[in-house]
Amino acid sequence: MLLRAGLSPILHTARYLPGVVTAGCVASVRCWSSVPLQSRTVGKPFAHRSELRQAKRVVVKLGSAVVTRGDECGLALGRLASIVEQVAMLQNQGREMLIVTSGAVAFGRQRLRHEILLSQSVRQALHSGHNQLKEMTVPVLEARACAAAGQSGLMALYEAMFTQYSICAAQILVTNLDFQDEQKRRNLSSTLHELLRMNIVPIINTNDAVVPPPEPSADLQGQVISIKDNDSLAARLAVEMRADMLIVLSDVEGLYDSPPGLDDAKLIDTFYPGDQQSVTFGTKSRVGLGGMEAKVKAALWALQGGTSVVIASGTHPKVTGHVITDIVDGKKVGTFFSEVKPAGPTVEQQAEMARADGRILASLQPEQRADIIHRLAELLTDNREEILAANHRDTERAAATGRLPLPLLNRLSLTTAKLNSLAIGLRQIACSARNSVGRLLRRTRVANGLELEQVTVPIGVLLVIFESRPDCLPQVSALAVASGNGLLLKGGREASHSNRILHRLAKEALSLHGVGEAVQLVNTREDVEDLCRLDKLIDLIIPRGSSQLVRDIQRASRGIPVLGHSEGICHVYLDTHANIDKAIKIVRDSKCDYPAACNALETLLVHRDHLRTPFFDQIIDMLRMEQVKIHAGPRFASYLTFSPSEVRSLRTEYGDLECCIEVVDGVQEAIAHIHKYGSSHTDVIVTESEETAEYFLQHVDSACVFWNASSRFSDGYRFGLGAEVGISTARIHARGPVGLEGLLTTKWLLRGEGQGVCDFAENGNMSYVHENLPVPHQL
């Protein structure tokens, strides 16, 4: 439907009545109503990515490289369908979406080429015979003619795609002259506002069929930006319409500090006005009028007008399907333009500083690394009152908000006893630090004059994400120092005061030997998911917190290994030969000592012979006395007339004074239950039968398996590791409580005298020896 001059597309079209959305209808609007345009109040753009979630009105600019195929003759239908789906999703969430699109020229070129080839083939078939069909050539097609032929087809395609989501779209064609005429500007704005009000997606494009050449001197003059290309058109419309955000999709991931083809080019996460002086622009994209320089100029103009801007890739196959929704969700995609520079370094800069100082840390003498850890232990003791005061502010705030569950609130709290234990653990780590980095593990004489060694080295840069447990910060910092690793720490905001002072003390200790930047506390608004994407800067992620946190990080990690466990479903099995006194003590300690811990008892397995005996009654009485809520497993419930609440799932980590009780027929059935419902964390047998105990120890496939000992012993400090970065249920690299050894890897050192592999060939003069050499004892 084409609306001619003087007609209002709203008042004269019944199916566009206010409040009515017609699925799949597309209006082609070329002229505008004369409702006055109110003067725009310039707002403030969003300062941080996390604020982009608040964007209500969003302009999406689709570059020519995004819309067209690689051969520039036709549209990239798959990408376009994905983009339409994302726009429709955001529109249906209540946002107001506008699209500035390219593609008419490419679509028209495809149609005209087809028509010309078809026409030539018919003529040649009539006059020259079939043998000359191969010599057909297509003349150079004029862009304006291609645009005229492609506009209707492009809009028909948008119509078909948006119809699938019950969304109406309207086409608007503009030229630079339309923005120079005040009345036309008012008409354009009025039409766009009315379309948005009726939940219609405006699709705007330059009228390439009649567009005049741009005026070189008119670009970016004060408050005016000339419409040279769709970049400038999108910026102009975003400002005119007071859009909250402009998303510019191109064929590159964003703005780089140098041309993307260069080896050392780095993607700029956030770009600030004035930074363009330090950026070298490359050539423009394969199609379209504007290059990256034009996009940056348009973005800065829109930013100055109060609209936030993100430039991102709309062609990358791994991100196209969610690039727009990710940007609106505040995720770290492309380059975000902001007027507010952060007070401190970016997380990328922090990771680079941690790696640089971490390498220096690894090169220190073992005694120097031990000095740093001893100093940190002293600082914890000397600054006890200040630490506890900061922690008190955190716990008071958490209690006042009521958002933190009781188990997490307990983890958040620091006490004098906890700080004393921390200091003792750190001194144990300091002793271990004297024989960690550079330790010789293996020596081999490969051949005469060719000796191979395997030595321990740091992993690199660790990212430790922890929630509600500030005591984790000095523990992990000490382990990082002992292992020579750089460290990024991301704590929960509920412990911000505690984390801040503990990190300050860690930096003070590190400064003893000039490596103060080796441990970094991430205080920016980075989402955990964004941190997990920094695969070029981070070598290992270690989550410390709830099972949900661990699962989220395992899903979000992109190419970075994650060390940890998602759940701590620990079992205690009371065998038929269990001693009652040991059983009561072990069950009480495993469940009640610290119910929120990942190594606390969650399921108590009881041999069937103990049912309806004084042994079982004493266990139940003790649990009730400790106010433990009991959930009955299916088999246990079947034995009872009036049973406790039946458990919803046997794979439950309660993290509180709750546990499940289930009945089994013997050790084999107990092991089968553990393997089916457990998390391979820590499992315990209580028995006086050594044969049964050994069978249990050998057959239970968990990281920690105990006989007649509490599950709470599954801890790095209690194992004598000094401290732990976490407990791993993985099967490679490290398993169980992960201390210093788990933060080291190895490298091979080969010392020769000019040998080559050719010397060991069939006609060579050397042969392999592969003799194992003794490893000197290291104190």
Side-chain angles (χ1 to χ4, degrees):
M1 178 181 64
L2 179 66
L3 301 180
R4 303 190 179 279
L7 296 180
S8 166
I10 309 302
L11 300 179
H12 294 80
T13 308
R15 61 179 179 177
Y16 286 167
L17 289 175
V20 178
V21 178
T22 306
C25 63
V26 178
S28 180
V29 182
R30 180 61 188 89
C31 47
W32 313 283
S33 61
S34 57
V35 179
L37 168 65
Q38 296 180 355
S39 60
R40 182 182 189 280
T41 302
V42 179
K44 285 283 187 181
F46 297 126
H48 306 282
R49 280 186 184 268
S50 59
E51 297 173 352
L52 296 178
R53 300 184 182 97
Q54 305 170 23
K56 169 73 173 177
R57 184 171 294 173
V58 181
V59 177
V60 179
K61 185 265 177 179
L62 307 179
S64 300
V66 176
V67 177
T68 62
R69 297 198 316 243
D71 59 7
E72 303 174 26
C73 294
L75 302 179
L77 297 180
R79 284 200 296 265
L80 203 56
S82 175
I83 288 168
V84 166
E85 181 181 15
Q86 294 173 75
V87 170
M89 182 187 305
L90 295 171
Q91 182 83 3
N92 287 330
Q93 288 175 0
R95 290 184 170 86
E96 298 174 344
M97 306 298 295
L98 300 90
I99 295 177
V100 176
T101 183
S102 302
V105 174
F107 194 58
R109 183 180 290 117
Q110 182 188 38
R111 294 181 63 184
L112 293 180
R113 281 169 60 94
H114 178 76
E115 292 296 329
I116 291 171
L117 290 174
L118 182 62
S119 177
Q120 286 182 353
S121 65
V122 171
R123 286 199 306 271
Q124 290 185 17
L126 291 174
H127 301 291
S128 304
H130 294 282
N131 294 332
Q132 298 185 18
L133 292 178
K134 297 179 181 179
E135 302 175 2
M136 291 186 300
T137 59
V138 179
V140 177
L141 300 175
E142 206 274 329
R144 291 187 179 88
C146 293
Q151 284 290 357
S152 59
L154 179 63
M155 278 311 301
L157 187 61
Y158 274 117
E159 173 184 6
M161 290 181 175
F162 274 111
T163 297
Q164 303 302 314
Y165 305 98
S166 301
I167 288 179
C168 181
Q171 181 185 24
I172 299 178
L173 302 175
V174 297
T175 67
N176 194 32
L177 298 176
D178 296 323
F179 286 92
Q180 295 174 6
D181 185 289
E182 184 65 23
Q183 186 60 44
K184 289 184 177 180
R185 284 180 60 243
R186 293 172 184 267
N187 292 345
L188 172 62
S189 179
S190 173
T191 299
L192 289 173
H193 278 92
E194 193 65 19
L195 292 173
L196 293 175
R197 186 180 66 83
M198 293 190 302
N199 201 34
I200 296 173
V201 177
I203 300 176
I204 306 106
N205 194 1
T206 53
N207 191 356
D208 294 324
V210 299
V211 65
E215 300 177 25
S217 61
D219 189 36
L220 296 168
Q221 298 296 318
Q223 298 299 315
V224 178
I225 181 171
S226 63
I227 307 303
K228 289 184 174 183
D229 48 49
N230 277 341
D231 295 319
S232 51
L233 170 60
R236 182 69 180 263
L237 278 171
V239 173
E240 292 274 353
M241 293 298 295
R242 307 175 195 169
D244 300 308
M245 177 165 49
L246 167 62
I247 299 174
V248 180
L249 297 184
S250 181
D251 56 352
V252 291
E253 294 182 49
L255 183 60
Y256 287 78
D257 57 0
S258 56
L262 300 181
D263 291 338
D264 59 349
K266 293 182 181 179
L267 181 66
I268 299 174
D269 170 59
T270 306
F271 190 78
Y272 307 98
D275 284 358
Q276 62 266 35
Q277 302 300 325
S278 61
V279 175
T280 303
F281 294 101
T283 58
K284 73 180 188 69
S285 63
R286 58 178 173 82
V287 290
L289 296 174
M292 184 55 70
E293 188 170 9
K295 290 175 175 55
V296 172
K297 287 182 178 179
L300 291 174
W301 189 88
L303 187 69
Q304 184 183 6
T307 297
S308 296
V309 183
V310 176
I311 297 178
S313 171
T315 60
H316 197 293
K318 291 185 178 180
V319 301
T320 302
H322 46 81
V323 59
I324 299 174
T325 51
D326 280 356
I327 290 171
V328 175
D329 199 36
K331 294 180 180 177
K332 209 167 193 176
V333 179
T335 299
F336 171 62
F337 286 70
S338 175
E339 292 182 329
V340 180
K341 276 199 171 187
T346 65
V347 68
E348 291 86 355
Q349 292 170 333
Q350 287 185 291
E352 289 172 353
M353 289 189 290
R355 187 177 296 279
D357 271 22
R359 285 172 175 160
I360 299 173
L361 180 65
S363 68
L364 295 177
Q365 294 298 315
E367 295 76 13
Q368 292 175 305
R369 289 193 294 272
D371 289 344
I372 293 172
I373 302 171
H374 278 300
R375 179 60 181 151
L376 179 55
E378 292 172 2
L379 290 171
L380 289 179
T381 303
D382 296 343
N383 295 271
R384 181 188 298 112
E385 297 304 321
E386 188 178 356
I387 295 170
L388 293 178
N391 182 251
H392 183 66
R393 290 199 294 273
D394 288 330
T395 53
E396 271 196 335
R397 181 178 60 184
T401 59
R403 297 176 182 174
L404 211 60
L406 183 59
L408 291 183
L409 195 59
N410 292 335
R411 288 181 183 180
L412 176 61
S413 177
L414 291 177
T415 63
T416 300
K418 275 189 180 181
L419 291 178
N420 290 337
S421 295
L422 270 175
I424 294 171
L426 263 55
R427 293 187 178 97
Q428 289 180 345
I429 296 172
C431 295
S432 304
R434 302 180 188 278
N435 185 26
S436 56
V437 180
R439 186 172 76 256
L440 182 60
L441 301 178
R442 180 185 302 177
R443 292 176 65 216
T444 304
R445 180 176 289 117
V446 179
N448 290 330
L450 198 61
E451 188 171 310
L452 180 67
E453 294 180 348
Q454 185 185 21
V455 298
T456 57
V457 293
I459 289 175
V461 175
L462 314 176
L463 169 62
V464 177
I465 302 170
F466 57 99
E467 56 182 9
S468 304
R469 47 174 69 195
D471 54 332
C472 172
L473 194 152
Q475 283 181 344
V476 175
S477 298
L479 287 169
V481 171
S483 57
N485 285 291
L487 178 63
L488 287 179
L489 293 160
K490 175 66 172 176
R493 73 182 60 171
E494 67 278 356
S496 58
H497 294 98
S498 307
N499 291 338
R500 199 173 297 120
I501 182 173
L502 291 171
H503 178 249
R504 191 193 78 202
L505 298 178
K507 282 180 68 72
E508 184 178 337
L510 287 161
S511 299
L512 187 65
H513 289 290
V515 286
E517 304 302 329
V519 175
Q520 299 282 331
L521 181 63
V522 179
N523 285 317
T524 63
R525 300 192 182 196
E526 305 288 335
D527 284 340
V528 168
E529 186 172 344
D530 291 331
L531 292 172
C532 293
R533 294 177 177 178
L534 300 177
D535 58 311
K536 295 180 181 178
L537 298 172
I538 296 169
D539 300 298
L540 179 67
I541 301 175
I542 304 172
R544 297 288 306 271
S546 66
S547 57
Q548 186 61 49
L549 171 72
V550 178
R551 283 193 295 268
D552 289 345
I553 290 172
Q554 289 172 335
R555 280 194 297 265
S557 177
R558 305 285 178 88
I560 309 175
V562 178
L563 182 69
H565 64 281
S566 58
E567 292 174 309
I569 304 175
C570 303
H571 297 76
V572 172
Y573 166 54
L574 303 182
D575 183 53
T576 186
H577 300 294
N579 174 277
I580 183 59
D581 294 328
K582 291 179 182 178
I584 290 174
K585 185 176 182 179
I586 289 170
V587 171
R588 177 189 285 118
D589 191 77
S590 296
K591 178 72 262 185
C592 307
D593 175 67
Y594 190 10
C598 63
N599 56 10
L601 161 67
E602 303 295 359
T603 298
L604 178 63
L605 299 176
V606 181
H607 193 286
R608 179 169 50 87
D609 291 348
H610 289 307
L611 290 180
R612 301 185 178 92
T613 66
F615 179 104
F616 185 71
D617 292 341
Q618 290 182 60
I619 296 291
I620 295 298
D621 290 343
M622 179 273 294
L623 290 174
R624 286 175 176 168
M625 187 180 302
E626 296 289 344
Q627 299 182 334
V628 177
K629 183 177 180 180
I630 297 174
H631 302 275
R635 190 173 178 188
F636 179 43
S638 69
Y639 284 97
L640 305 174
T641 306
F642 299 100
S643 69
S645 61
E646 188 167 342
V647 67
R648 293 184 178 180
S649 171
L650 290 169
R651 290 193 181 96
T652 301
E653 182 179 11
Y654 298 100
D656 206 346
L657 284 174
E658 297 181 63
C659 75
C660 168
I661 296 180
E662 183 57 309
V663 175
V664 293
D665 285 338
V667 65
Q668 292 181 338
E669 189 172 321
I671 293 171
H673 180 103
I674 289 169
H675 289 166
K676 185 174 183 178
Y677 299 109
S679 61
S680 301
H681 192 295
T682 301
D683 298 291
V684 177
I685 183 172
V686 182
T687 184
E688 296 303 299
S689 168
E690 182 176 354
E691 180 182 355
T692 304
E694 288 300 326
Y695 185 88
F696 186 89
L697 294 174
Q698 297 302 320
H699 286 81
V700 171
D701 188 15
S702 296
C704 300
V705 188
F706 301 161
W707 172 23
N708 287 348
S710 168
S711 63
R712 292 280 290 124
F713 280 107
S714 179
D715 175 82
Y717 170 71
R718 298 183 180 104
F719 277 13
L721 305 179
E724 64 184 30
V725 292
I727 296 179
S728 172
T729 55
R731 299 181 182 275
I732 57 174
H733 176 62
R735 200 174 188 207
V738 181
L740 180 58
E741 293 292 328
L743 301 182
L744 295 169
T745 183
T746 64
K747 71 176 179 181
W748 296 89
L749 306 177
L750 182 64
R751 295 180 175 90
E753 298 173 352
Q755 295 92 336
V757 172
C758 58
D759 298 326
F760 298 86
E762 185 176 352
N763 297 323
N765 57 0
M766 298 191 72
S767 60
Y768 291 109
V769 176
H770 293 148
E771 176 187 354
N772 291 328
L773 300 175
V775 176
H777 179 68
Q778 295 170 306
L779 298 177

